[in-house]
Amino acid sequence: DAMVIQNPRYQVTQFGKPVTLSCSQTLNHNVMYWYQQKSSQAPKLLFHYYDKDFNNEADTPDNFQSRRPNTSFCFLDIRSPGLGDAAMYLCATSRVEGTDSYEQYFGPGTRLTVT
Amino acid sequence: GQNIDQPTEMTATEGAIVQINCTYQTSGFNGLFWYQQHAGEAPTFLSYNVLDGLEEKGRFSSFLSRSKGYSYLLLKELQMKDSASYLCAVRDGNYQLIWGAGTKLIIKP
């Protein structure tokens, strides 16, 4: 089945130790998103790729970086995780054609714990 | 600023009907989405409204009034598995998706 896959599902890292989360999709969608979601809060968009074009949200900390080497894969790099970065990280994809934008499909998420 | 308001939590009884409201204030409007999110899982798409009126999909229906900046999600014949958070999200004039914090729905037997 076509889907959005995230690895790992659970990640534990130490304070300040770089960590990379991965996302892949078989939907061939042209837009990929990374969200951060903390308990009982709305998902917070960190950045998105429209094809190869990177779009950073104004309030996304510099500590967060992203790479999209090809259509199928997208990575979230946290250079120096702090305790406040512990959260669920959600990858999503959608198809956007001009002004037509369709619903987002989410991966299962990676729950990041920072010790 | 842009804002989406939903009740934080609601409780309903198995087999009953529940309506979850969402009001929004955004810079422009290009559609409203409802997503379901079970605890510890990713959101899954439920419905999309861009024109005024009611969209029905099985036990779930979603209503939109653009003039009032208002939507609701109606869940009928509630089942225990419907216990989840329900997120309202609005696509603004720049086609950015603005998310509400979600309504936690608790279903009791």
Side-chain angles (χ1 to χ4, degrees), chain B residues 41-102:
Chain B
E41 298 181 12
T44 55
F45 170 74
L46 288 178
S47 69
Y48 172 67
N49 295 71
V50 66
L51 299 176
D52 291 349
L54 189 68
E55 294 282 340
E56 297 187 79
K57 192 184 288 187
R59 293 189 299 116
F60 293 5
S61 303
S62 57
F63 172 83
L64 174 67
S65 169
R66 288 172 295 171
S67 62
K68 295 181 179 178
Y70 168 70
S71 173
Y72 68 72
L73 181 69
L74 191 71
L75 292 77
K76 302 176 184 177
E77 301 169 16
L78 285 170
Q79 302 175 8
M80 297 303 293
K81 68 178 182 179
D82 297 330
S83 292
S85 287
Y86 291 85
L87 299 159
C88 174
V90 173
R91 193 158 57 204
D92 69 9
N94 292 319
Y95 291 86
Q96 299 300 309
L97 204 56
I98 312 300
W99 291 85

Side-chain angles (χ1 to χ4, degrees), chain A residues 82-115:
Chain A
L83 297 179
D85 297 328
M88 175 77 88
Y89 289 88
L90 297 165
C91 174
T93 72
S94 71
R95 179 164 61 95
V96 177
E97 297 170 356
T99 56
D100 290 331
S101 177
Y102 302 88
E103 70 269 22
Q104 295 183 15
Y105 290 78
F106 284 83
T110 295
R111 182 161 296 282
L112 179 68
T113 300
V114 182
T115 61

Side-chain angles (χ1 to χ4, degrees), chain A:
Chain A
D1 290 341
M3 59 177 61
V4 182
I5 302 163
Q6 290 187 246
N7 285 303
R9 293 291 309 276
Y10 301 90
Q11 176 73 57
V12 181
T13 190
Q14 293 177 340
F15 183 94
K17 185 175 181 180
V19 66
T20 295
L21 310 182
S22 72
C23 176
S24 63
Q25 55 131 340
T26 60
L27 297 161
N28 203 32
H29 285 168
N30 56 343
V31 185
M32 295 186 77
Y33 308 81
W34 278 106
Y35 288 91
Q36 179 193 66
Q37 188 178 28
K38 298 186 177 181
S39 182
S40 302
Q41 295 184 19
K44 179 182 182 300
L45 183 64
L46 296 173
F47 21 61
H48 73 277
Y49 276 92
Y50 189 124
D51 293 319
K52 294 183 179 179
D53 293 333
F54 177 69
N55 297 272
N56 197 33
E57 294 300 301
D59 57 354
T60 298
D62 292 339
N63 198 24
F64 291 85
Q65 303 287 321
S66 184
R67 298 169 281 138
R68 188 180 187 186
N70 53 52
T71 301
S72 301
F73 286 87
C74 197
F75 299 97
L76 170 62
D77 301 307
I78 308 176
R79 292 193 294 188
S80 181
L83 297 179
D85 297 328
M88 175 77 88
Y89 289 88
L90 297 165
C91 174
T93 72
S94 71
R95 179 164 61 95
V96 177
E97 297 170 356
T99 56
D100 290 331
S101 177
Y102 302 88
E103 70 269 22
Q104 295 183 15
Y105 290 78
F106 284 83
T110 295
R111 182 161 296 282
L112 179 68
T113 300
V114 182
T115 61

